[in-house]
Amino acid sequence: MTGPEEVRCMLMRGGTSKGAYFLADDLPADPAARDDLLLRVMGSPDPRQIDGIGGAHPLTSKVAVVSPSDDPDTDVDYLFLQVNVDEPVVSDRQNCGNILAGVGPFAVERGLVPAGDDTTSVRIRMVNSGDRATATFPTPGGRVDYTGDAEISGVPGTAAAVVIEFPPGKGTLLPTGNVGDTLAGVEATCVDNGMPTVLVAAESLKVTGYEDPKELEADEELAARLREIRLAAGEAMGLGDVTDTTVPKLTLLAAPRHGGAVTTRTFIPVRCHTSIGVLGAASVAAGLRIDGSVADGIAQLPTTGDRLRIQHPTGFTDIEASLTTGPDGLPAARRTAVVRTARKLFDGTVFPRPAHTPGGPR
């Protein structure tokens, strides 16, 4: 058998996603061996992931690998891995802000960071991009408390608030150097405020932006156009050939309903997100703040304060985003913060599917 027969694992809901959290020391150090193990843990490739703990959807087939950080300015390193559902692929090409919400509590649970008497702040380095975040959450009596009255769309009930603040990234907010680009014949704004994201007016792709995600996923013409735009955006944003990756994300924009700033439909890469990722929402919020972006004439920005309500298929995400001017004269992120919740679902041992032996039974 390849790899360990059993692995210590904590399954957590982070934001509107769900994933398996591991200490790096509990996984193989070799990336290929690690990825093979994670495919067997999650039950991929199989559209139902019936023989693993994956949830048969990209939002529930995620992994966090956490370790002590050697960076004096951070406490832990967080590597995010997206485990494909129906392909034997594990990708480290992107961050995940939802799974990020569980990293701080997990680090305290595993003893990587001591808990405070009331609240604890954990400084996190996101290995995928090098970006940093600080997660603050309640730890009364020195123990993580997951109960509280914070509510986020897409998650039933309430839980303790996890406040995640992102310092300005080292990269450029506008990776193409332009406020607007024409990609595969479509006007777009490419933004990276923690997640490479392409903003496109929904009507430019002959949809309203209010459709149900399943309706959009069934639109083969739309899927083909999204692929064309992603490929063009990947080259324009310096990401290279993105055929086999989930970044950049594509977010369609429509006028807001119910008092928000904008309505969104986000694709990963052609499956429509039932909500929106935290870092994706941060990039959308920054894009709304940029004068002359494709959001002009679509978004309705508040007259005061930094908070923007990003509407999505199952509700909304509130993001606090403000911009400044960078040394190159282009817009740059100044502050980004979001309130999420997380919850420990189980903590124990996971038993991966046995490795396939050539010539033996599958």
PDB file of all heavy atoms in Angstrom, residues 233-264:
ATOM      1  N   ALA A 233      -7.784  35.402 -20.389  1.00  0.00           N
ATOM      2  CA  ALA A 233      -7.449  36.094 -19.148  1.00  0.00           C
ATOM      3  C   ALA A 233      -6.189  35.527 -18.521  1.00  0.00           C
ATOM      4  O   ALA A 233      -5.357  36.270 -17.978  1.00  0.00           O
ATOM      5  CB  ALA A 233      -8.611  35.999 -18.165  1.00  0.00           C
ATOM      6  N   GLY A 234      -6.038  34.205 -18.567  1.00  0.00           N
ATOM      7  CA  GLY A 234      -4.850  33.587 -18.003  1.00  0.00           C
ATOM      8  C   GLY A 234      -3.580  34.141 -18.609  1.00  0.00           C
ATOM      9  O   GLY A 234      -2.622  34.474 -17.900  1.00  0.00           O
ATOM     10  N   GLU A 235      -3.565  34.261 -19.928  1.00  0.00           N
ATOM     11  CA  GLU A 235      -2.395  34.835 -20.600  1.00  0.00           C
ATOM     12  C   GLU A 235      -2.223  36.304 -20.245  1.00  0.00           C
ATOM     13  O   GLU A 235      -1.121  36.757 -19.939  1.00  0.00           O
ATOM     14  CB  GLU A 235      -2.550  34.669 -22.115  1.00  0.00           C
ATOM     15  CG  GLU A 235      -2.543  33.221 -22.586  1.00  0.00           C
ATOM     16  CD  GLU A 235      -1.201  32.535 -22.376  1.00  0.00           C
ATOM     17  OE1 GLU A 235      -0.181  33.234 -22.226  1.00  0.00           O
ATOM     18  OE2 GLU A 235      -1.190  31.285 -22.360  1.00  0.00           O
ATOM     19  N   ALA A 236      -3.322  37.061 -20.245  1.00  0.00           N
ATOM     20  CA  ALA A 236      -3.249  38.504 -19.991  1.00  0.00           C
ATOM     21  C   ALA A 236      -2.805  38.803 -18.557  1.00  0.00           C
ATOM     22  O   ALA A 236      -2.139  39.807 -18.299  1.00  0.00           O
ATOM     23  CB  ALA A 236      -4.605  39.158 -20.272  1.00  0.00           C
ATOM     24  N   MET A 237      -3.178  37.918 -17.612  1.00  0.00           N
ATOM     25  CA  MET A 237      -2.863  38.145 -16.202  1.00  0.00           C
ATOM     26  C   MET A 237      -1.529  37.537 -15.791  1.00  0.00           C
ATOM     27  O   MET A 237      -1.168  37.561 -14.622  1.00  0.00           O
ATOM     28  CB  MET A 237      -3.988  37.585 -15.328  1.00  0.00           C
ATOM     29  CG  MET A 237      -5.331  38.242 -15.561  1.00  0.00           C
ATOM     30  SD  MET A 237      -6.714  37.430 -14.701  1.00  0.00           S
ATOM     31  CE  MET A 237      -6.470  38.035 -13.025  1.00  0.00           C
ATOM     32  N   GLY A 238      -0.816  36.956 -16.745  1.00  0.00           N
ATOM     33  CA  GLY A 238       0.489  36.375 -16.445  1.00  0.00           C
ATOM     34  C   GLY A 238       0.418  35.020 -15.777  1.00  0.00           C
ATOM     35  O   GLY A 238       1.396  34.567 -15.168  1.00  0.00           O
ATOM     36  N   LEU A 239      -0.718  34.332 -15.924  1.00  0.00           N
ATOM     37  CA  LEU A 239      -0.895  33.021 -15.310  1.00  0.00           C
ATOM     38  C   LEU A 239      -0.569  31.882 -16.265  1.00  0.00           C
ATOM     39  O   LEU A 239      -0.589  30.712 -15.868  1.00  0.00           O
ATOM     40  CB  LEU A 239      -2.336  32.870 -14.801  1.00  0.00           C
ATOM     41  CG  LEU A 239      -2.777  33.885 -13.753  1.00  0.00           C
ATOM     42  CD1 LEU A 239      -4.268  33.739 -13.468  1.00  0.00           C
ATOM     43  CD2 LEU A 239      -1.974  33.732 -12.474  1.00  0.00           C
ATOM     44  N   GLY A 240      -0.307  32.211 -17.518  1.00  0.00           N
ATOM     45  CA  GLY A 240       0.014  31.190 -18.500  1.00  0.00           C
ATOM     46  C   GLY A 240      -1.214  30.440 -18.972  1.00  0.00           C
ATOM     47  O   GLY A 240      -2.325  30.965 -18.983  1.00  0.00           O
ATOM     48  N   ASP A 241      -1.002  29.182 -19.344  1.00  0.00           N
ATOM     49  CA  ASP A 241      -2.099  28.337 -19.822  1.00  0.00           C
ATOM     50  C   ASP A 241      -2.899  27.841 -18.622  1.00  0.00           C
ATOM     51  O   ASP A 241      -2.407  27.074 -17.800  1.00  0.00           O
ATOM     52  CB  ASP A 241      -1.526  27.150 -20.598  1.00  0.00           C
ATOM     53  CG  ASP A 241      -2.620  26.256 -21.210  1.00  0.00           C
ATOM     54  OD1 ASP A 241      -3.814  26.535 -20.997  1.00  0.00           O
ATOM     55  OD2 ASP A 241      -2.262  25.283 -21.894  1.00  0.00           O
ATOM     56  N   VAL A 242      -4.154  28.271 -18.518  1.00  0.00           N
ATOM     57  CA  VAL A 242      -4.983  27.925 -17.354  1.00  0.00           C
ATOM     58  C   VAL A 242      -6.007  26.843 -17.687  1.00  0.00           C
ATOM     59  O   VAL A 242      -6.973  26.658 -16.947  1.00  0.00           O
ATOM     60  CB  VAL A 242      -5.695  29.183 -16.803  1.00  0.00           C
ATOM     61  CG1 VAL A 242      -4.673  30.191 -16.309  1.00  0.00           C
ATOM     62  CG2 VAL A 242      -6.606  29.817 -17.862  1.00  0.00           C
ATOM     63  N   THR A 243      -5.764  26.115 -18.767  1.00  0.00           N
ATOM     64  CA  THR A 243      -6.714  25.083 -19.191  1.00  0.00           C
ATOM     65  C   THR A 243      -7.031  24.101 -18.076  1.00  0.00           C
ATOM     66  O   THR A 243      -8.192  23.731 -17.872  1.00  0.00           O
ATOM     67  CB  THR A 243      -6.149  24.305 -20.402  1.00  0.00           C
ATOM     68  OG1 THR A 243      -5.890  25.226 -21.471  1.00  0.00           O
ATOM     69  CG2 THR A 243      -7.135  23.247 -20.865  1.00  0.00           C
ATOM     70  N   ASP A 244      -6.026  23.680 -17.331  1.00  0.00           N
ATOM     71  CA  ASP A 244      -6.207  22.646 -16.324  1.00  0.00           C
ATOM     72  C   ASP A 244      -6.215  23.195 -14.902  1.00  0.00           C
ATOM     73  O   ASP A 244      -5.948  22.468 -13.936  1.00  0.00           O
ATOM     74  CB  ASP A 244      -5.112  21.590 -16.455  1.00  0.00           C
ATOM     75  CG  ASP A 244      -5.160  20.872 -17.796  1.00  0.00           C
ATOM     76  OD1 ASP A 244      -6.277  20.611 -18.270  1.00  0.00           O
ATOM     77  OD2 ASP A 244      -4.087  20.595 -18.356  1.00  0.00           O
ATOM     78  N   THR A 245      -6.511  24.486 -14.734  1.00  0.00           N
ATOM     79  CA  THR A 245      -6.545  25.079 -13.404  1.00  0.00           C
ATOM     80  C   THR A 245      -7.926  25.673 -13.135  1.00  0.00           C
ATOM     81  O   THR A 245      -8.764  25.779 -14.041  1.00  0.00           O
ATOM     82  CB  THR A 245      -5.493  26.191 -13.261  1.00  0.00           C
ATOM     83  OG1 THR A 245      -5.904  27.343 -14.010  1.00  0.00           O
ATOM     84  CG2 THR A 245      -4.139  25.723 -13.760  1.00  0.00           C
ATOM     85  N   THR A 246      -8.144  26.060 -11.898  1.00  0.00           N
ATOM     86  CA  THR A 246      -9.425  26.672 -11.528  1.00  0.00           C
ATOM     87  C   THR A 246      -9.333  28.188 -11.393  1.00  0.00           C
ATOM     88  O   THR A 246     -10.294  28.838 -11.001  1.00  0.00           O
ATOM     89  CB  THR A 246      -9.932  26.087 -10.198  1.00  0.00           C
ATOM     90  OG1 THR A 246      -8.930  26.273  -9.195  1.00  0.00           O
ATOM     91  CG2 THR A 246     -10.238  24.610 -10.344  1.00  0.00           C
ATOM     92  N   VAL A 247      -8.173  28.751 -11.676  1.00  0.00           N
ATOM     93  CA  VAL A 247      -8.014  30.202 -11.683  1.00  0.00           C
ATOM     94  C   VAL A 247      -7.601  30.642 -13.071  1.00  0.00           C
ATOM     95  O   VAL A 247      -6.969  29.879 -13.812  1.00  0.00           O
ATOM     96  CB  VAL A 247      -6.961  30.666 -10.645  1.00  0.00           C
ATOM     97  CG1 VAL A 247      -7.464  30.452  -9.235  1.00  0.00           C
ATOM     98  CG2 VAL A 247      -5.622  29.978 -10.859  1.00  0.00           C
ATOM     99  N   PRO A 248      -7.972  31.865 -13.449  1.00  0.00           N
ATOM    100  CA  PRO A 248      -8.730  32.827 -12.669  1.00  0.00           C
ATOM    101  C   PRO A 248     -10.206  32.452 -12.580  1.00  0.00           C
ATOM    102  O   PRO A 248     -10.722  31.733 -13.427  1.00  0.00           O
ATOM    103  CB  PRO A 248      -8.550  34.138 -13.433  1.00  0.00           C
ATOM    104  CG  PRO A 248      -8.414  33.689 -14.869  1.00  0.00           C
ATOM    105  CD  PRO A 248      -7.628  32.400 -14.791  1.00  0.00           C
ATOM    106  N   LYS A 249     -10.862  32.956 -11.512  1.00  0.00           N
ATOM    107  CA  LYS A 249     -12.299  32.816 -11.398  1.00  0.00           C
ATOM    108  C   LYS A 249     -12.960  33.829 -12.341  1.00  0.00           C
ATOM    109  O   LYS A 249     -12.430  34.906 -12.574  1.00  0.00           O
ATOM    110  CB  LYS A 249     -12.761  33.093  -9.968  1.00  0.00           C
ATOM    111  CG  LYS A 249     -12.166  32.154  -8.924  1.00  0.00           C
ATOM    112  CD  LYS A 249     -12.772  30.774  -9.048  1.00  0.00           C
ATOM    113  CE  LYS A 249     -12.422  29.897  -7.859  1.00  0.00           C
ATOM    114  NZ  LYS A 249     -11.104  29.319  -7.897  1.00  0.00           N
ATOM    115  N   LEU A 250     -14.126  33.469 -12.866  1.00  0.00           N
ATOM    116  CA  LEU A 250     -14.920  34.405 -13.664  1.00  0.00           C
ATOM    117  C   LEU A 250     -16.172  34.758 -12.882  1.00  0.00           C
ATOM    118  O   LEU A 250     -16.894  33.860 -12.424  1.00  0.00           O
ATOM    119  CB  LEU A 250     -15.317  33.787 -15.013  1.00  0.00           C
ATOM    120  CG  LEU A 250     -14.390  34.094 -16.202  1.00  0.00           C
ATOM    121  CD1 LEU A 250     -13.015  33.518 -15.950  1.00  0.00           C
ATOM    122  CD2 LEU A 250     -14.972  33.549 -17.491  1.00  0.00           C
ATOM    123  N   THR A 251     -16.423  36.035 -12.715  1.00  0.00           N
ATOM    124  CA  THR A 251     -17.598  36.489 -11.984  1.00  0.00           C
ATOM    125  C   THR A 251     -18.424  37.402 -12.880  1.00  0.00           C
ATOM    126  O   THR A 251     -17.926  38.417 -13.375  1.00  0.00           O
ATOM    127  CB  THR A 251     -17.210  37.235 -10.701  1.00  0.00           C
ATOM    128  OG1 THR A 251     -16.539  36.335  -9.815  1.00  0.00           O
ATOM    129  CG2 THR A 251     -18.448  37.788 -10.006  1.00  0.00           C
ATOM    130  N   LEU A 252     -19.681  37.011 -13.087  1.00  0.00           N
ATOM    131  CA  LEU A 252     -20.615  37.820 -13.853  1.00  0.00           C
ATOM    132  C   LEU A 252     -21.298  38.804 -12.915  1.00  0.00           C
ATOM    133  O   LEU A 252     -21.714  38.449 -11.805  1.00  0.00           O
ATOM    134  CB  LEU A 252     -21.664  36.938 -14.533  1.00  0.00           C
ATOM    135  CG  LEU A 252     -21.141  35.791 -15.400  1.00  0.00           C
ATOM    136  CD1 LEU A 252     -22.301  35.146 -16.163  1.00  0.00           C
ATOM    137  CD2 LEU A 252     -20.067  36.267 -16.361  1.00  0.00           C
ATOM    138  N   LEU A 253     -21.435  40.043 -13.362  1.00  0.00           N
ATOM    139  CA  LEU A 253     -22.014  41.104 -12.553  1.00  0.00           C
ATOM    140  C   LEU A 253     -23.358  41.540 -13.114  1.00  0.00           C
ATOM    141  O   LEU A 253     -23.532  41.677 -14.326  1.00  0.00           O
ATOM    142  CB  LEU A 253     -21.088  42.326 -12.510  1.00  0.00           C
ATOM    143  CG  LEU A 253     -19.636  42.104 -12.066  1.00  0.00           C
ATOM    144  CD1 LEU A 253     -18.890  43.430 -12.088  1.00  0.00           C
ATOM    145  CD2 LEU A 253     -19.581  41.471 -10.683  1.00  0.00           C
ATOM    146  N   ALA A 254     -24.300  41.763 -12.212  1.00  0.00           N
ATOM    147  CA  ALA A 254     -25.600  42.320 -12.566  1.00  0.00           C
ATOM    148  C   ALA A 254     -25.991  43.309 -11.479  1.00  0.00           C
ATOM    149  O   ALA A 254     -25.431  43.298 -10.376  1.00  0.00           O
ATOM    150  CB  ALA A 254     -26.655  41.214 -12.699  1.00  0.00           C
ATOM    151  N   ALA A 255     -26.949  44.181 -11.790  1.00  0.00           N
ATOM    152  CA  ALA A 255     -27.384  45.175 -10.814  1.00  0.00           C
ATOM    153  C   ALA A 255     -27.883  44.494  -9.549  1.00  0.00           C
ATOM    154  O   ALA A 255     -28.427  43.390  -9.599  1.00  0.00           O
ATOM    155  CB  ALA A 255     -28.481  46.049 -11.419  1.00  0.00           C
ATOM    156  N   PRO A 256     -27.679  45.110  -8.385  1.00  0.00           N
ATOM    157  CA  PRO A 256     -28.058  44.475  -7.127  1.00  0.00           C
ATOM    158  C   PRO A 256     -29.565  44.426  -6.917  1.00  0.00           C
ATOM    159  O   PRO A 256     -30.315  45.208  -7.487  1.00  0.00           O
ATOM    160  CB  PRO A 256     -27.414  45.381  -6.073  1.00  0.00           C
ATOM    161  CG  PRO A 256     -27.378  46.728  -6.730  1.00  0.00           C
ATOM    162  CD  PRO A 256     -27.091  46.448  -8.176  1.00  0.00           C
ATOM    163  N   ARG A 257     -29.938  43.476  -6.100  1.00  0.00           N
ATOM    164  CA  ARG A 257     -31.310  43.375  -5.620  1.00  0.00           C
ATOM    165  C   ARG A 257     -31.259  43.311  -4.098  1.00  0.00           C
ATOM    166  O   ARG A 257     -30.259  42.898  -3.518  1.00  0.00           O
ATOM    167  CB  ARG A 257     -31.999  42.128  -6.175  1.00  0.00           C
ATOM    168  CG  ARG A 257     -32.245  42.193  -7.684  1.00  0.00           C
ATOM    169  CD  ARG A 257     -32.848  40.882  -8.187  1.00  0.00           C
ATOM    170  NE  ARG A 257     -33.318  41.012  -9.572  1.00  0.00           N
ATOM    171  CZ  ARG A 257     -33.827  40.013 -10.281  1.00  0.00           C
ATOM    172  NH1 ARG A 257     -33.938  38.806  -9.738  1.00  0.00           N
ATOM    173  NH2 ARG A 257     -34.234  40.203 -11.529  1.00  0.00           N
ATOM    174  N   HIS A 258     -32.305  43.729  -3.445  1.00  0.00           N
ATOM    175  CA  HIS A 258     -32.420  43.606  -1.990  1.00  0.00           C
ATOM    176  C   HIS A 258     -31.364  44.421  -1.250  1.00  0.00           C
ATOM    177  O   HIS A 258     -30.904  44.034  -0.180  1.00  0.00           O
ATOM    178  CB  HIS A 258     -32.338  42.142  -1.557  1.00  0.00           C
ATOM    179  CG  HIS A 258     -33.149  41.208  -2.404  1.00  0.00           C
ATOM    180  ND1 HIS A 258     -34.519  41.326  -2.537  1.00  0.00           N
ATOM    181  CD2 HIS A 258     -32.786  40.150  -3.168  1.00  0.00           C
ATOM    182  CE1 HIS A 258     -34.959  40.384  -3.346  1.00  0.00           C
ATOM    183  NE2 HIS A 258     -33.936  39.657  -3.753  1.00  0.00           N
ATOM    184  N   GLY A 259     -30.964  45.548  -1.829  1.00  0.00           N
ATOM    185  CA  GLY A 259     -30.136  46.484  -1.092  1.00  0.00           C
ATOM    186  C   GLY A 259     -28.642  46.253  -1.111  1.00  0.00           C
ATOM    187  O   GLY A 259     -27.901  46.937  -0.398  1.00  0.00           O
ATOM    188  N   GLY A 260     -28.143  45.337  -1.889  1.00  0.00           N
ATOM    189  CA  GLY A 260     -26.711  45.089  -1.944  1.00  0.00           C
ATOM    190  C   GLY A 260     -26.000  46.035  -2.898  1.00  0.00           C
ATOM    191  O   GLY A 260     -26.572  46.995  -3.417  1.00  0.00           O
ATOM    192  N   ALA A 261     -24.704  45.740  -3.123  1.00  0.00           N
ATOM    193  CA  ALA A 261     -23.905  46.555  -4.042  1.00  0.00           C
ATOM    194  C   ALA A 261     -23.915  45.982  -5.445  1.00  0.00           C
ATOM    195  O   ALA A 261     -23.850  46.729  -6.429  1.00  0.00           O
ATOM    196  CB  ALA A 261     -22.465  46.655  -3.543  1.00  0.00           C
ATOM    197  N   VAL A 262     -23.989  44.654  -5.564  1.00  0.00           N
ATOM    198  CA  VAL A 262     -23.951  44.020  -6.877  1.00  0.00           C
ATOM    199  C   VAL A 262     -24.449  42.585  -6.732  1.00  0.00           C
ATOM    200  O   VAL A 262     -24.380  42.000  -5.645  1.00  0.00           O
ATOM    201  CB  VAL A 262     -22.514  44.046  -7.460  1.00  0.00           C
ATOM    202  CG1 VAL A 262     -21.614  43.025  -6.748  1.00  0.00           C
ATOM    203  CG2 VAL A 262     -22.492  43.846  -8.963  1.00  0.00           C
ATOM    204  N   THR A 263     -24.951  42.032  -7.811  1.00  0.00           N
ATOM    205  CA  THR A 263     -25.326  40.617  -7.868  1.00  0.00           C
ATOM    206  C   THR A 263     -24.257  39.869  -8.644  1.00  0.00           C
ATOM    207  O   THR A 263     -23.796  40.347  -9.694  1.00  0.00           O
ATOM    208  CB  THR A 263     -26.690  40.437  -8.540  1.00  0.00           C
ATOM    209  OG1 THR A 263     -27.687  41.091  -7.763  1.00  0.00           O
ATOM    210  CG2 THR A 263     -27.059  38.961  -8.674  1.00  0.00           C
ATOM    211  N   THR A 264     -23.861  38.705  -8.161  1.00  0.00           N
ATOM    212  CA  THR A 264     -22.780  37.953  -8.798  1.00  0.00           C
ATOM    213  C   THR A 264     -23.178  36.518  -9.103  1.00  0.00           C
ATOM    214  O   THR A 264     -24.012  35.924  -8.418  1.00  0.00           O
ATOM    215  CB  THR A 264     -21.529  37.908  -7.893  1.00  0.00           C
ATOM    216  OG1 THR A 264     -21.840  37.195  -6.677  1.00  0.00           O
ATOM    217  CG2 THR A 264     -21.037  39.302  -7.553  1.00  0.00           C
TER     218      THR A 264
END
